[in-house]
C-alpha cells in the first residue's frame, strides 16, 4: 500500500514538470516570500505577500521556500493545484489573533477551484499557532490526493487542528492516498486543551433529513450515517502529538494505515468513528490518556 502511494505521487509530480531548460526550471521552481514583499520580521502582517508568492508558485509550477524569518499571518493562505511543494527553509509561520481561520488551506473544487490539489509535498514547515483562541488548522487539505505531508512542526495549538484532511461531497472526488508522516504537533494539555485535534482525517456524514448530528442519527435508527465520499487509503505514520482532545481521529475512513505514532496527554488518543472500516492500527503508543487510549464509535469496524 505504501509503495503504491509513493509511485502515484512521483508520477503526478513528473507529469506536472514544465518542459523547459534545467536553468529556467530551477529559476521558476524556487519562490520565496521576500520576492513578493514579505518582511519576515515578526512584525506586521505578511498574509498578502505570502499569498502572492503562493499564487506565483501555482502559475509557474514551482515550490514555495520559506526562507529564514518569522512570517505573521491572520487568515488562511490558499494553496491551489499547480504548486509543487511547500518547503521549510528556516522560516516560521506565526498566526496572529483574529476572527478568521489561519493556516495553509489546500483549496479545491469545494471552494470553486477547477481542480483539487494533488501531488503536493509539504515538508519541514514550522507553524506557530501562538495559543490563538480562534481556530488554527495549520495544514488543511480539502479533497486532496497523493500529497506528502512530512516532517513538519506545529506548536502552541489551542483551537483547531494540526493537520486536517477533509473529503467533502462538494469536492467531487474523495481525499485519497495521502501520506502524513513524522510530524510533531503540540499544544495545550488537559482541560484547557480539549478544543483541538492533532491529526483529523474527516469525511462528514450524510444525515437523514432533519438530523443534525451522529448522536441523533444513531438514536433515530440505531445505525450510523456514512459519508458520501469516504476518506481512502491514507498512511499516518511516525507522528508525535502532545495534548488536545483527539490525538488522531478517523471519521468515515477506509483502508487507512495508522502506524507507530506517539500520542501523549489527550482526552482520547486514537479515535475511529462514523462507519470507518478496513483500517489497520499498529504499533501506536498512547500515553496519559484522560478518557480512552483507543476509542471506537458509531459503526467503526
Amino acid at each position: 500500500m505504501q509503495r503504491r502511494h509513493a509511485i502515484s505521487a512521483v508520477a503526478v509530480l513528473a507529469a506536472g514538470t514544465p518542459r523547459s531548460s534545467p536553468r529556467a526550471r530551477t529559476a521558476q521552481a524556487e519562490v520565496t516570500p521576500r520576492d513578493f514583499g514579505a518582511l519576515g520580521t515578526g512584525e506586521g502582517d505578511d498574509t498578502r505577500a505570502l499569498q502572492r508568492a503562493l499564487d506565483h508558485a501555482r502559475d509557474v509550477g514551482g515550490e514555495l521556500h520559506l526562507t529564514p524569518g518569522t512570517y505573521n499571518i491572520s487568515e488562511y493562505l490558499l494553496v491551489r493545484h499547480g504548486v509543487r511543494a511547500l518547503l521549510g527553509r528556516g522560516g516560521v509561520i506565526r498566526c496572529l489573533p483574529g476572527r478568521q481561520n489561519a493556516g495553509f488551506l489546500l483549496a479545491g473544487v469545494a471552494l470553486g477551484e477547477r481542480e483539487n490539489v494533488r501531488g503536493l509535498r509539504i515538508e519541514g514547515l514550522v507553524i506557530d499557532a501562538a495559543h490563538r483562541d480562534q481556530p488554527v488548522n495549520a495544514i488543511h487539505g480539502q479533497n486532496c490526493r497523493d500529497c506528502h505531508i512530512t516532517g513538519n512542526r506545529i506548536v502552541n495549538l489551542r483551537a483547531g487542528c494540526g493537520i486536517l484532511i477533509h473529503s467533502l461531497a462538494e469536492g467531487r472526488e474523495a481525499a485519497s492516498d495521502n501520506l502524513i508522516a513524522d510530524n510533531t504537533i503540540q499544544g495545550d494539555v488537559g482541560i484547557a486543551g480539549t478544543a483541538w485535534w492533532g491529526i483529523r482525517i474527516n469525511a462528514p456524514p450524510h444525515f437523514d433529513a432533519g438530523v443534525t448530528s451522529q448522536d441523533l442519527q444513531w438514536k433515530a435508527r440505531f445505525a450510523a450515517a456514512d459519508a458520501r465520499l469516504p476518506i481512502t487509503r491514507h498512511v499516518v505514520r511516525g507522528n508525535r502529538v502532545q495534548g488536545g482532545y483527539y490525538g488522531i481521529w478517523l471519521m468515515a475512513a477506509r483502508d487507512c494505515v495508522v502506524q507507530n505514532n506517539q500520542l501523549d496527554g489527550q482526552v482520547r488518543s486514537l479515535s475511529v468513528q462514523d462507519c470507518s472500516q478496513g483500517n489497520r492500527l499498529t504499533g501506536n503508543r498512547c500515553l496519559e490518556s484522560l478518557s480512552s487510549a483507543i476509542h471506537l464509535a458509531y459503526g467503526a469496524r
Side-chain angles (χ1 to χ4, degrees), residues 49-65:
L50 283 163
Q51 189 61 61
R52 290 194 294 270
L54 283 165
D55 291 344
H56 181 74
R58 180 268 317 272
D59 293 341
V60 301
E63 302 173 346
L64 178 66
H65 289 221

Side-chain angles (χ1 to χ4, degrees), residues 130-149:
H131 300 287
R132 191 177 189 262
D133 289 326
Q134 301 78 20
V136 172
N137 297 318
I139 300 172
H140 181 184
Q142 294 187 343
N143 300 83
C144 55
R145 54 192 175 93
D146 293 305
C147 296
H148 287 196
I149 303 171

Side-chain angles (χ1 to χ4, degrees), residues 77 120 142 295:
L77 297 168
L120 174 69
Q142 294 187 343
H295 173 247

Side-chain angles (χ1 to χ4, degrees), residues 5-6 9 119-123 146-150 177-179:
H5 175 98
L120 174 69
R121 288 169 55 218
I122 304 178
E123 179 182 304
D146 293 305
C147 296
H148 287 196
I149 303 171
T150 60
D177 299 288
N178 297 304
L179 172 66

Side-chain angles (χ1 to χ4, degrees), residues 62-301:
E63 302 173 346
L64 178 66
H65 289 221
L66 280 170
T67 47
T70 297
Y71 302 95
N72 290 337
I73 66 170
S74 54
E75 58 188 76
Y76 269 142
L77 297 168
L78 299 184
V79 184
R80 300 174 173 93
H81 178 60
V83 180
R84 294 173 58 194
L86 308 178
L87 302 176
R89 293 292 187 258
V92 176
I93 296 290
R94 185 169 66 193
C95 300
L96 296 172
R99 289 180 291 179
Q100 303 295 321
N101 286 356
F104 288 94
L105 174 59
L106 281 54
V109 173
L111 281 179
E113 299 294 321
R114 290 190 298 175
E115 298 181 76
N116 295 314
V117 174
R118 63 182 184 275
L120 174 69
R121 288 169 55 218
I122 304 178
E123 179 182 304
L125 300 185
V126 179
I127 301 174
D128 181 4
H131 300 287
R132 191 177 189 262
D133 289 326
Q134 301 78 20
V136 172
N137 297 318
I139 300 172
H140 181 184
Q142 294 187 343
N143 300 83
C144 55
R145 54 192 175 93
D146 293 305
C147 296
H148 287 196
I149 303 171
T150 60
N152 303 287
R153 185 166 175 259
I154 300 161
V155 299
N156 298 325
L157 273 166
R158 179 171 291 173
C161 299
I163 298 172
L164 169 61
I165 305 295
H166 257 135
S167 191
L168 300 170
E170 300 85 351
R172 296 206 299 259
E173 58 185 357
S176 66
D177 299 288
N178 297 304
L179 172 66
I180 301 169
D182 303 317
N183 302 284
T184 299
I185 303 170
Q186 173 270 331
D188 292 349
V189 179
I191 299 301
T194 59
W196 67 273
W197 290 256
I199 298 171
R200 180 174 173 176
I201 309 296
N202 179 33
H206 177 59
F207 300 125
D208 291 346
V211 177
T212 57
S213 71
Q214 193 68 275
D215 181 56
L216 294 175
Q217 181 74 77
W218 187 269
K219 290 176 180 176
R221 56 188 177 96
F222 299 104
D226 204 351
R228 286 177 169 168
L229 285 178
I231 290 272
T232 58
R233 298 185 305 276
H234 281 56
V235 175
V236 183
R237 184 182 66 224
N239 303 282
R240 297 174 61 91
V241 182
Q242 182 178 23
Y245 191 94
Y246 293 108
I248 297 174
W249 184 27
L250 302 185
M251 181 177 183
R254 307 282 198 273
D255 302 318
C256 297
V257 175
V258 181
Q259 183 179 51
N260 296 340
N261 301 282
Q262 180 163 312
L263 311 171
D264 186 0
Q266 291 82 37
V267 176
R268 292 171 173 169
S269 297
L270 177 53
S271 183
V272 183
Q273 301 188 35
D274 302 312
C275 299
S276 293
Q277 56 187 275
N279 302 294
R280 290 192 290 129
L281 318 176
T282 61
N284 301 287
R285 298 186 67 198
C286 302
L287 308 174
E288 303 296 333
S289 307
L290 300 181
S291 173
S292 56
I294 297 177
H295 173 247
L296 304 177
Y298 296 125
R301 59 187 188 276

Side-chain angles (χ1 to χ4, degrees), residues 18-74:
R19 294 186 178 182
S20 58
S21 69
R23 179 174 296 179
R25 188 162 60 245
T26 300
Q28 288 180 344
E30 296 185 7
V31 178
T32 74
R34 294 180 193 273
D35 294 337
F36 293 85
L39 298 177
T41 61
E43 300 178 0
D45 189 340
D46 285 323
T47 303
R48 297 289 174 262
L50 283 163
Q51 189 61 61
R52 290 194 294 270
L54 283 165
D55 291 344
H56 181 74
R58 180 268 317 272
D59 293 341
V60 301
E63 302 173 346
L64 178 66
H65 289 221
L66 280 170
T67 47
T70 297
Y71 302 95
N72 290 337
I73 66 170
S74 54

